[in-house]
């Protein structure tokens, strides 16, 4: 179980190290992604970028398999990054909680973007899980506890108690 203060690291970086996209106007390679969305058939991702040098905006299209890292599972098997799987997990955690479907979509968007912006070829399920958990903590504490219980294999009431104790500590230290 990761400590909660550690989960409060910024979830996104402005520039993933893998971003070597040049501005079509001034050819500078420093730009930030302001919006990422999946194309209709799911095979490409469109990114709206803003050049840090000249401030102009432009759109890039990238193949999905190039921008998403492979997910390394606990048993070392690799699988494709699956947005729908994350959505199912957070929906389950938020069942009967006052959280809108829209908020969940946005949460998964942020997790997805942070996974792309890591710029790594592979990322562990643990890393993804920690990001999801950090997002859920901001959204709904009970949902976060539910997610953590599945994600970290909570075994008894003591684990839940520890989770809420850590959470209380990190809330106070804000
Ligand atoms: Zn530029």
């Amino acid at each position: 179980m990761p400590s909660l203060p550690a989960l409060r690291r910024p979830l996104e970086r402005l520039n993933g190290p893998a971003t070597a996209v040049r501005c079509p106007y001034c050819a500078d390679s420093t730009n930030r992604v302001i919006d990422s969305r999946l194309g209709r058939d799911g095979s490409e991702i469109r990114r709206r970028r803003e050049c840090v040098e000249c401030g102009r905006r432009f759109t890039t299209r990238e193949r999905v398999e190039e921008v998403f890292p492979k997910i390394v599972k606990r048993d070392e098997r690799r699988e494709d990054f699956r947005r729908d799987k994350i959505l199912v997990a957070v929906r389950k955690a938020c069942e009967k909680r006052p959280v809108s479907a829209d908020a969940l979509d946005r949460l998964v968007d942020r997790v997805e973007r942070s996974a792309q912006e890591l710029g790594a070829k592979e990322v562990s399920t643990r890393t993804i899980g920690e990001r999801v958990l950090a997002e859920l903590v901001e959204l709904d504490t009970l949902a976060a506890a539910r997610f953590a219980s599945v994600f970290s294999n909570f075994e008894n009431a003591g684990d839940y108690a520890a989770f809420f104790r850590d959470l209380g500590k990190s809330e106070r230290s804000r």
Side-chain angles (χ1 to χ4, degrees):
M1 182 68 206
S3 71
L4 280 159
L7 293 175
R8 298 202 184 276
R9 286 181 303 245
L11 288 177
E12 292 169 22
R13 286 186 283 171
L14 291 179
N15 260 322
T19 319
V21 175
R22 293 194 174 273
C23 170
Y25 305 103
C26 75
D28 193 86
S29 61
T30 318
N31 53 74
R32 60 189 194 95
V33 176
I34 48 183
D35 188 39
S36 294
R37 55 188 67 203
L38 214 51
R40 209 158 275 173
D41 69 352
S43 70
E44 69 167 24
I45 186 152
R46 287 194 303 272
R47 282 171 162 173
R48 194 79 185 134
R49 296 171 183 270
E50 187 178 83
C51 176
V52 171
E53 184 59 31
C54 74
R56 289 188 175 96
R57 294 183 173 189
F58 57 98
T59 303
T60 53
R61 292 182 157 76
E62 292 151 57
R63 302 286 306 165
V64 164
E65 52 270 33
E66 287 163 8
V67 292
F68 283 105
K70 283 274 179 204
I71 304 299
V72 184
K73 300 177 63 158
R74 280 169 216 242
D75 61 8
E76 297 289 307
R77 277 186 298 140
R78 266 69 172 165
E79 64 177 32
D80 290 336
F81 184 95
R82 293 267 307 274
R83 180 195 165 89
D84 55 333
K85 277 185 131 174
I86 298 173
L87 195 55
V88 166
V90 294
R91 259 193 208 135
K92 202 171 169 119
C94 292
E95 222 162 63
K96 299 195 173 131
R97 297 298 301 158
V99 178
S100 69
D102 207 40
L104 288 185
D105 269 337
R106 287 197 304 271
L107 183 154
V108 178
D109 282 348
R110 289 192 294 273
V111 172
E112 197 173 57
R113 207 176 314 154
S114 73
Q116 293 162 7
E117 292 178 357
L118 283 174
K121 288 210 182 317
E122 295 187 332
V123 60
S124 66
T125 46
R126 184 188 171 89
T127 301
I128 298 289
E130 284 176 4
R131 303 230 167 205
V132 173
L133 183 57
E135 288 281 349
L136 279 175
V137 165
E138 300 294 325
L139 201 61
D140 186 283
T141 309
L142 188 62
R146 282 184 190 154
F147 180 83
S149 73
V150 177
F151 172 58
S152 312
N153 298 319
F154 282 17
E155 282 174 358
N156 54 47
D159 290 341
Y160 283 96
F163 176 85
F164 283 108
R165 207 163 47 234
D166 282 357
L167 188 61
K169 268 184 214 150
S170 75
E171 294 286 316
R172 281 192 298 277
S173 67
R174 264 182 174 191

